[in-house]
Amino acid sequence: MIMYKNIRFFKGYLQSFCDVLLESLNSLPGDARTQIGFITYDSRIHYYDLSDRQNGTFRVMIAPDLDSKPEDFLPMPDGLMVTLCECRSTVETFLNELPKLYQDNHETDSALGSALQIAGKLLGQTGGRVTVIQTRIPNINPGALNEAIPSGGQSGKEPTTVGPTSDYYKRLSLDYASIQIACDLFLLNSHHIDLATLSMYNCFRRVQ
Amino acid sequence: MIVSYSYSIILYFFKFFLFLVPQEFLFDPITKTYGDPSRRPEVRFGTVEYTATADYMARPPQPAMYLFLLDVSHNAIQTGEYIIEI
């Protein structure tokens, strides 16, 4: 008979992502100056201020509406990227709390384009590495992609062209390369996600 | 891994061997010994990093910056529902 000591239920990638990152914080390459930051997004952009060292708590800031162009400015000058060894406890609290924050989230949209521009602004001075985890096709401008699977015209044939449909991500990638930002894209989609276009995002990267 | 080169020549070996590879190639910078060229790091490892001097830098080395962009839409909660039993 097999005895199960410990049964753990995971719901959503967010939980496992946070667990794994929590375990591997020590093995992130870099010296004592290593900085870490998080931005999450659905139809809005959520920023996290992790700089509170006294209480070990973090603040969430939400850019409510993308018409006001949140990519043009950052809500605070510092605190979005924190030195890992100084704010270690805050980062750990954050990773423990993050899956609980969004477990009842019913937003289905995704503003990837804006979030990427904000990431570029955040890392513009130093360069760095942007790790993106995306679960659906981005559907909010800028960078919205067509959700319909391209069909081969009227006759209902198989799609004939599998090429990028927008050069938004290509331009973003070239901008990133010029300011020393490397980018990783992880896709966890269950539906059509237009990989041909999204992958342009890390075609042109130049690793620092 | 830091690789440094030494250009000193061991004349002793010249008495006995005919070298077909450049002299520097026989030096193993990790163990600081001369000998078999197959011990060299670029032969043994897939990647080798060279220390870049200031001549090759546009600016001083920056801190390592990690920024994570996470999709937290409804899909993110639905994707990857699983159970681990230990």
Side-chain angles (χ1 to χ4, degrees), chain A:
Chain A
M1 192 177 120
I2 301 169
M3 295 288 286
Y4 294 114
K5 281 184 189 165
N6 189 3
I7 299 182
R8 299 165 79 188
F9 292 89
F10 286 106
K11 204 170 180 198
Y13 88 90
L14 209 54
Q15 179 75 56
S16 47
F17 172 83
C18 291
D19 287 352
V20 171
L21 187 58
L22 204 53
E23 282 170 23
S24 44
L25 275 182
N26 280 331
S27 50
L28 280 180
D31 52 17
R33 300 178 299 161
T34 301
Q35 295 192 23
I36 194 166
F38 299 89
I39 291 174
T40 61
Y41 54 94
D42 42 27
S43 62
R44 298 171 294 184
I45 310 285
H46 317 126
Y47 305 88
Y48 300 91
D49 170 18
L50 304 171
S51 61
D52 185 358
R53 263 175 267 164
Q54 267 80 41
N55 303 321
T57 54
F58 62 93
R59 285 195 301 159
V60 188
M61 284 160 284
I62 299 178
D65 124 47
L66 294 179
D67 295 334
S68 60
K69 293 211 172 289
E71 60 267 21
D72 287 349
F73 62 93
L74 293 170
M76 55 191 301
D78 48 9
L80 298 178
M81 296 295 291
V82 294
T83 310
L84 181 57
C85 60
E86 287 175 4
C87 301
R88 180 67 184 251
S89 63
T90 319
V91 173
E92 286 177 355
T93 314
F94 169 78
L95 287 173
N96 282 319
E97 294 296 321
L98 182 66
K100 296 173 200 159
L101 273 180
Y102 294 105
Q103 62 188 359
D104 296 320
N105 193 6
H106 292 294
E107 289 280 352
T108 53
D109 298 333
S110 177
L112 176 64
S114 282
L116 288 176
Q117 285 193 15
I118 290 164
K121 195 160 272 296
L122 200 52
L123 296 182
Q125 298 298 315
T126 53
R129 168 165 291 248
V130 179
T131 304
V132 182
I133 303 184
Q134 176 73 12
T135 59
R136 84 182 303 289
I137 191 163
N139 63 340
I140 295 183
N141 270 323
L145 298 176
N146 189 4
E147 290 184 55
I149 299 173
S151 66
Q154 303 275 329
S155 55
K157 289 183 294 188
E158 288 288 305
T160 49
T161 54
V162 185
T165 54
S166 147
D167 70 341
Y168 179 80
Y169 293 94
K170 180 180 167 183
R171 277 188 282 117
L172 207 57
S173 173
L174 291 167
D175 289 349
Y176 272 19
S178 65
I179 51 176
Q180 314 278 340
I181 296 179
C183 34
D184 292 324
L185 187 62
F186 294 91
L187 299 175
L188 305 167
N189 53 314
S190 50
H191 296 98
H192 172 61
I193 201 166
D194 201 349
L195 179 62
T197 310
L198 281 183
S199 64
M200 297 301 284
Y201 165 59
N202 36 9
C203 274
F204 296 91
R205 79 179 186 184
R206 181 175 61 188
V207 178
Q208 191 178 3

